[in-house]
Amino acid sequence: MARSLGLINLGGGLPSSDYFPIERLDIKIPSVEGGFSEQQTRDSGVVSKTGKHDVAEGKGAYDLSIALNYGQGSGSAQLLRFVTEHTEIVHNPPYQDWRCILSVGNTSAMDMALRMFTQRGDYMLAEEYAFATAIETAAPMGVNIVGIAMDDEGLLPESMDEVLSNWDVHARRAAKPSILYTVPTGHNPTGATQSLERRRKLYKVAQKHDIYILEDEPYYYLQMQKYTGPNAADVPPPASHQEFLKALVPSLLSLDTDGRVFRMDSFSKVIAPGTRTGWITASQQIIEKVQQHHEASVQNPSGISQLVLYKLLDENWGHGGYLEWLINLRLEYTGRRDTIVYACETYLPRQVISWNPPAAGMFLWMKIDWHQHPQAQAKGVKIIEHEILEACIERGVLVIPGSWFRAERDVGQDLFFRATFAAAASDKMDEAIRRFGEVIRESFLIE
């Protein structure tokens, strides 16, 4: 009887869209054919229009009446479908019951994961230098971090195996860790990228010790062309979407035969951080728990953000256009990386400072041999680091001390500084490294 009459909904607490004071939203976006630069977008970009009642009027699949109202804990079905298809295209997880869910960015996803998988007093594994916000997310929950040694390719699986194999429950007053937090690609702060072989070894250690992996990958699509040096020819860009995808280091998710990877993706580095939108990929049972957490906390990403991303990615670009955008970012970041590395080769004294050109991400990690400082024994590494930081600020350049990123705050006797090449103009980056070089030369009394 109810079906024949039509259900009149007096149950939910959703407000009427009649009272949403936004009738239309127009956004101008790059067209794939016209190019992606700001000037090209001004000249040949397309205007994507969304009305309040486009769905009811048969003009679209997603509109303002939906986006501005309460949503599902899984995120909008329209954008969720796109990221799920994208995940299958790029990663193709090798088990059947994987699912995606939209998130409010990777920091929120990390917060959810810690609430699900840890309790106060637990330990979590992470790189010995780790994303500072991840450390700060764990701290108020009472989750301790064990730093795992790294090299130029990131986390060392043998070090992780050694820590777990020799875990002393009585000395640590805690059970052996059950989760690993890692940034495998363009690691923040070190810029390291795990090779495929490194990821395979890491996964085997995780299997051996039954470790669940939190794979934080905001920089995955900022993998760059190989660094060739200032006087060498550039590496040709990917000739096709397939060649681009093949050039990406396979993710831990793509190796995950057990369903032990909780992958966190984000639009923050590839579209805009202000969207506060990303997605999680994991097994169905985990995604269901994340959705329950969402429904009692953040609910879902901003409706306007989801709508804008849907109009951009699905309705206008499609998967092919999005891959074109990612190829464009790859080349843009390659140029930025090359600029800062060229500047280092020009201005920094190699006798006391070293670096490796990053293969992905936004960061250059510079190691300073503080033992060569003329007052090394008298001052020690902490004072020398502080003096260099203060001198840099006085000289008008900001680089971040490596000690700020230590997973275990009081561990470590090396001296690093992190520089980012993501935002500053080329001439500004060159000048910044010149000033940094002057500070190092003066500190170490180098002519």
Side-chain angles (χ1 to χ4, degrees):
M1 186 70 173
R3 289 183 180 178
S4 62
L5 293 175
L7 183 67
I8 300 172
N9 184 3
L10 300 181
L14 278 67
S16 170
S17 62
D18 293 350
Y19 308 119
F20 299 163
I22 303 174
E23 184 64 26
R24 199 174 92 174
L25 181 67
D26 296 352
I27 56 172
K28 190 171 187 179
I29 58 180
S31 69
V32 177
E33 297 78 13
F36 294 114
S37 73
E38 287 188 339
Q39 187 58 53
Q40 288 170 323
T41 303
R42 293 189 192 102
D43 294 341
S44 61
V46 297
V47 176
S48 181
K49 302 178 179 181
T50 306
K52 188 187 285 188
H53 301 294
D54 285 355
V55 174
E57 295 169 2
K59 297 177 181 178
Y62 195 22
D63 62 23
L64 287 166
S65 72
I66 298 171
L68 295 177
N69 220 316
Y70 288 112
Q72 302 297 316
S74 57
S76 77
Q78 297 86 347
L79 185 59
L80 178 59
R81 176 181 55 77
F82 181 88
V83 300
T84 301
E85 292 171 354
H86 174 77
T87 299
E88 185 170 20
I89 290 168
V90 178
H91 306 288
N92 192 23
Y95 63 97
Q96 289 188 346
D97 68 333
W98 65 272
R99 297 290 186 274
C100 294
I101 187 170
L102 295 180
S103 71
V104 187
N106 286 15
T107 300
S108 174
M110 176 72 174
D111 177 86
M112 297 280 178
L114 291 176
R115 293 179 188 278
M116 289 167 57
F117 299 122
T118 66
Q119 56 186 353
R120 186 168 294 275
D122 282 354
Y123 278 82
M124 175 177 72
L125 305 171
E127 287 94 347
E128 60 182 333
Y129 291 91
F131 177 40
T133 301
I135 298 171
E136 297 304 323
T137 300
M141 297 186 195
V143 176
N144 305 298
I145 298 179
V146 179
I148 303 300
M150 304 175 68
D151 65 6
D152 293 342
E153 286 190 15
L155 185 148
L156 288 164
E158 54 268 32
S159 175
M160 177 175 156
D161 186 28
E162 182 180 2
V163 167
L164 292 169
S165 297
N166 296 299
W167 188 265
D168 189 330
V169 174
H170 299 292
R172 296 276 191 174
R173 296 183 178 180
K176 191 166 77 170
S178 61
I179 61 171
L180 164 69
Y181 170 77
T182 182
V183 181
T185 311
H187 177 263
N188 184 5
T190 70
T193 295
Q194 297 172 13
S195 66
L196 174 57
E197 184 58 30
R198 176 65 58 89
R199 295 177 198 223
R200 284 173 172 159
K201 289 180 179 179
L202 187 157
Y203 192 82
K204 286 183 179 179
V205 174
Q207 288 179 310
K208 175 181 176 181
H209 294 279
D210 197 17
I211 298 295
Y212 193 69
I213 301 171
L214 307 182
E215 181 183 26
D216 188 3
E217 282 284 39
Y219 311 104
Y220 185 75
Y221 294 109
L222 301 186
Q223 296 183 49
M224 295 169 277
Q225 303 290 89
K226 183 178 180 181
Y227 180 72
T228 56
N231 299 314
D234 292 337
V235 176
S240 65
H241 296 163
Q242 196 59 39
E243 189 174 308
F244 166 67
L245 293 173
K246 189 175 180 181
L248 299 174
V249 181
S251 63
L252 287 167
L253 177 65
S254 72
L255 306 176
D256 184 22
T257 55
D258 301 346
R260 67 173 64 251
V261 173
F262 183 98
R263 181 181 170 89
M264 297 172 279
D265 278 286
S266 174
F267 288 115
S268 291
K269 306 303 188 293
V270 294
I271 299 293
T275 63
R276 302 315 310 141
T277 305
W279 71 97
I280 300 163
T281 308
S283 63
Q284 181 176 349
Q285 61 179 333
I286 298 298
I287 295 300
E288 288 172 355
K289 295 298 182 184
V290 174
Q291 182 165 344
Q292 291 172 12
H293 276 269
H294 278 183
E295 289 167 352
S297 58
V298 298
Q299 294 195 347
N300 48 253
S302 158
I304 289 181
S305 289
Q306 293 183 89
L307 176 62
V308 168
L309 287 167
Y310 168 78
K311 301 292 281 190
L312 173 69
L313 298 174
D314 190 286
E315 195 170 282
N316 282 275
W317 284 358
H319 290 292
Y322 185 42
L323 292 178
E324 288 292 331
W325 169 253
L326 295 175
I327 292 171
N328 171 69
L329 282 184
R330 179 186 182 94
L331 301 180
E332 290 290 326
Y333 272 85
T334 297
R336 288 183 163 276
R337 185 271 318 272
D338 291 352
T339 294
I340 200 169
V341 174
Y342 295 165
C344 290
E345 293 173 352
T346 302
Y347 300 118
L348 300 187
R350 287 180 174 272
Q351 57 266 51
V352 297
I353 187 168
S354 59
W355 62 89
N356 290 306
M362 298 178 166
F363 307 110
L364 181 70
W365 190 239
M366 298 172 286
K367 183 176 183 179
I368 298 174
D369 185 1
W370 67 273
H371 296 283
Q372 294 193 47
H373 193 279
Q375 294 182 284
Q377 291 187 341
K379 292 184 173 181
V381 63
K382 290 184 179 180
I383 292 177
I384 293 172
E385 179 189 69
H386 180 73
E387 288 180 349
I388 291 173
L389 175 62
E390 291 293 312
C392 283
I393 294 171
E394 289 178 9
R395 197 65 62 93
V397 59
L398 180 62
V399 289
I400 307 301
S403 64
W404 293 8
F405 302 96
R406 288 194 187 117
E408 298 179 69
R409 293 303 192 190
D410 298 324
V411 177
Q413 283 295 309
D414 290 325
L415 177 55
F416 293 97
F417 279 89
R418 190 198 76 175
T420 179
F421 49 88
S426 295
D427 60 331
K428 297 294 186 181
M429 276 195 278
D430 186 83
E431 175 62 16
I433 295 300
R434 188 191 67 79
R435 295 177 187 179
F436 180 59
E438 286 183 350
V439 169
I440 298 302
R441 290 178 187 278
E442 290 177 9
S443 179
F444 282 77
L445 304 180
I446 298 170
E447 295 295 331

